[in-house]
């Protein structure tokens, strides 16, 4: 009988799958839970999932749950039961570490605050991130760019590795049967999906469409945010009839939009990984990305790039990319899907499990 070894995994963002942290924590939890019984039998591992109120039991009976309320989340660092390993799944978690864990593992998605925060706010974020690093024994980055970026600004000394995020497998979703008629969309359209934050550069896409009157653009995101409201005001003010705003959609509707769009536009200023572009590539669609931060890493040679972030230049790059794709859509689509296939949640979970086992072995060393 193998001695039982306890791993706590923080999954507090699982309720918000419209953002990257939420999708990552949900998929990691689901794939770990699917392997939990085998890992208990083969390696003596017991998983303890830290989840928000209302999510106890959401991943089935093969894992244990620590359900917590938002006001007391910080207190979980003093959870009295000793863990062999505690995995903090992102750098902004309210639970920075577990005091009674033998090792604390931190996944770092990005340090976008270096690009987003004003000079007066930046020092506070830098101090907070340094404190999180100080409590971590080991690090995982979601891209080589994230690793290099943190190394440049903070030079951490902990052992680390890169584990790419997975991306949903569209073949498992019946997107072809989803009815999008209620959205009133044109037959052909470009697509953008994001949280509609300023760093996503969506205002440039809005301006681009004035220079691309022959195309249509569907933008999915939070139109109730301050930035979203300003975007809508600009669309109305400039009388742009070829832009179609949609609020958050279901997963099935999102997959259907990817499958039916002509291409996906994502001129973001800063990404630790860039999940939506790879989702679009899984559907075999051409993607148009900025050349900044992690996007060239995840898009590779199969993506088109906005080398100049001006509306006119972006419109020209979009036309060229669409024409190149249309010249041989079958071969181009297969090539794009082949590239995107390297990003899958099964592989991601396998690599985290290998990481956990390595760290548990270090505890015994």
């Amino acid at each position: 009988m193998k001695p039982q070894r306890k791993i706590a995994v923080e999954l507090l963002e699982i309720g918000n799958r419209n953002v990257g942290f939420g999708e990552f924590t949900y998929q990691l939890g689901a794939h770990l839970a699917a392997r939990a019984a085998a890992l208990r039998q083969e390696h003596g591992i017991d998983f303890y999932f830290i989840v928000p109120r209302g999510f106890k039991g959401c991943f089935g009976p093969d894992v244990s749950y620590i359900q917590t309320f938002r006001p007391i989340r910080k207190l979980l660092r003093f959870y009295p039961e000793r863990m062999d390993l505690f995995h903090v799944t992102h750098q902004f978690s309210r639970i920075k570490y577990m005091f009674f864990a033998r090792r604390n593992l931190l996944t770092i998605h990005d340090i976008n605050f270096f690009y987003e925060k004003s000079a007066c706010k930046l020092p506070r974020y830098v101090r907070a991130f340094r404190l999180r690093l100080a409590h971590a024994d080991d690090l995982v980055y979601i891209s080589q760019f994230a690793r290099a970026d943190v190394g440049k600004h903070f030079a951490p000394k902990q052992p680390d590795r890169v584990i790419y995020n997975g991306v949903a497998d569209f073949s498992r979703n019946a997107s072809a049967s989803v009815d999008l008629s209620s959205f009133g969309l044109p037959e052909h359209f470009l697509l953008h999906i994001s949280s509609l934050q300023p760093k996503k550069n969506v205002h440039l896409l809005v301006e681009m469409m004035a220079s691309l009157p022959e195309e249509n653009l569907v933008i999915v995101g939070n139109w109730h945010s301050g930035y979203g409201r300003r975007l809508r005001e600009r669309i109305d003010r400039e009388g742009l009839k070829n832009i179609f705003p949609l609020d958050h959609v279901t997963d099935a509707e999102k997959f259907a939009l990817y499958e039916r769009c002509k291409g996906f536009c994502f001129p973001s200023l800063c990404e630790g990984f860039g999940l939506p572009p790879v989702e679009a590539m899984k559907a075999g669609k051409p993607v148009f990305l900025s050349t900044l931060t992690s996007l060239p890493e995840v898009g590779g040679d199969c993506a088109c790039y906005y080398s100049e972030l001006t509306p006119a230049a972006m419109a020209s790059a979009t036309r060229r990319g669409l024409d190149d794709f249309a010249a041989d859509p079958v071969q181009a689509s297969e090539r794009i899907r082949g590239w995107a296939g390297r990003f899958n949640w099964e592989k991601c979970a396998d690599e985290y499990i290998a990481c956990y086992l390595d760290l548990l072995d270090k505890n015994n060393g």
Side-chain angles (χ1 to χ4, degrees):
M1 183 72 177
K2 294 182 181 294
Q4 294 306 110
R5 298 182 288 181
K6 299 176 181 178
I7 300 178
V9 184
E10 178 269 307
L11 300 174
L12 293 175
E13 297 297 323
I14 57 175
N16 186 11
R17 293 181 61 190
N18 288 315
V19 299
F21 290 160
E23 179 69 2
F24 170 74
T25 53
Y26 176 84
Q27 293 288 355
L28 181 63
H31 284 82
L32 292 178
R35 294 162 168 79
L39 289 168
R40 181 182 298 111
Q41 183 175 2
E42 296 172 17
H43 300 284
I45 291 174
D46 284 328
F47 280 110
Y48 291 74
F49 285 179
I50 301 173
V51 297
R53 183 175 66 173
F55 286 86
K56 185 176 181 179
C58 66
F59 294 113
D62 291 326
V63 300
S64 299
Y65 296 87
I66 303 171
Q67 184 175 229
T68 182
F69 302 88
R70 184 175 295 274
I72 64 170
R73 288 178 180 178
K74 289 184 178 181
L75 298 179
L76 275 182
R77 70 186 66 175
F78 302 111
Y79 189 74
E81 191 165 353
R82 187 170 184 81
M83 297 290 165
D84 294 280
L85 176 65
F86 174 45
H87 181 191
V88 187
T89 54
H90 65 90
Q91 69 274 12
F92 297 118
S93 172
R94 296 283 294 237
I95 310 170
K96 298 180 179 68
Y97 62 95
M98 271 190 167
F99 186 78
F100 295 108
R102 297 181 68 185
R103 298 186 82 90
N104 286 277
L105 169 68
L106 172 63
T107 292
I108 299 175
H109 295 249
D110 60 64
I111 50 170
N112 285 347
F113 53 83
F114 261 99
Y115 310 99
E116 299 174 322
K117 301 303 176 184
S118 63
C120 62
K121 291 183 178 180
L122 183 58
R124 177 163 60 90
Y125 282 83
V126 169
R127 286 194 299 271
F129 189 75
R130 287 193 187 280
L131 183 61
R132 289 180 181 273
L133 285 176
H135 288 298
D137 299 296
D138 303 272
L139 304 174
V140 169
Y141 298 99
I142 67 168
S143 65
Q144 294 291 349
F145 168 79
R147 176 194 240 170
D149 205 25
V150 173
K152 173 184 175 182
H153 293 287
F154 295 95
K157 304 300 183 185
Q158 296 94 327
D160 64 39
R161 66 185 75 193
V162 172
I163 300 178
Y164 287 114
N165 287 350
V167 177
D169 185 349
F170 289 85
S171 65
R172 298 180 183 177
N173 300 281
S175 57
S177 64
V178 175
D179 183 10
L180 298 178
S181 61
S182 63
F183 293 147
L185 303 180
E187 182 178 358
H188 302 291
F189 57 86
L190 299 167
L191 180 64
H192 172 86
I193 298 176
S194 76
S195 53
L196 295 192
Q197 301 174 44
K199 69 179 182 181
K200 302 299 183 181
N201 246 356
V202 187
H203 58 281
L204 285 184
L205 291 179
V206 169
E207 295 174 17
M208 178 188 78
M209 294 310 294
S211 300
L212 206 61
E214 72 274 19
E215 300 291 347
N216 299 294
L217 174 65
V218 175
I219 301 176
V220 182
N222 180 15
W223 290 93
H224 303 289
S225 67
Y227 183 66
R229 289 194 296 270
R230 291 193 296 274
L231 286 175
R232 193 182 287 273
E233 289 169 1
R234 176 175 290 187
I235 292 168
D236 293 340
R237 183 171 61 250
E238 298 183 12
L240 296 173
K241 304 299 184 183
N242 58 345
I243 298 179
F244 298 81
L246 294 180
D247 286 318
H248 291 306
V249 295
T250 67
D251 280 349
E253 290 166 343
K254 178 177 72 171
F255 299 150
L257 288 167
Y258 283 132
E259 292 284 357
R260 300 178 199 183
C261 73
K262 292 181 64 176
F264 186 81
C265 303
F266 202 75
S268 180
L269 294 175
C270 49
E271 298 290 328
F273 178 73
L275 184 63
V278 186
E279 289 180 334
M281 294 178 84
K282 285 264 185 172
K285 298 307 171 81
V287 298
F288 301 86
L289 311 175
S290 74
T291 59
L292 303 174
T293 60
S294 67
L295 291 176
E297 183 179 346
V298 300
D301 293 336
C302 292
C304 306
Y305 293 95
Y306 295 133
S307 57
E308 183 182 343
L309 291 176
T310 63
M314 290 167 60
S316 296
T318 303
R319 285 192 184 97
R320 287 196 303 273
L322 292 174
D323 289 344
D324 289 344
F325 183 85
D328 192 347
V330 174
Q331 183 175 346
S333 184
E334 288 179 356
R335 181 168 172 262
I336 292 168
R337 283 193 175 97
W339 171 267
R342 69 188 61 196
F343 304 108
N344 67 80
W345 288 115
E346 288 78 10
K347 183 174 184 287
C348 177
D350 286 344
E351 292 185 15
Y352 270 103
I353 290 167
C355 176
Y356 295 161
L357 293 173
D358 287 346
L359 300 183
L360 292 174
D361 288 342
K362 286 184 180 180
N363 283 345
N364 297 329

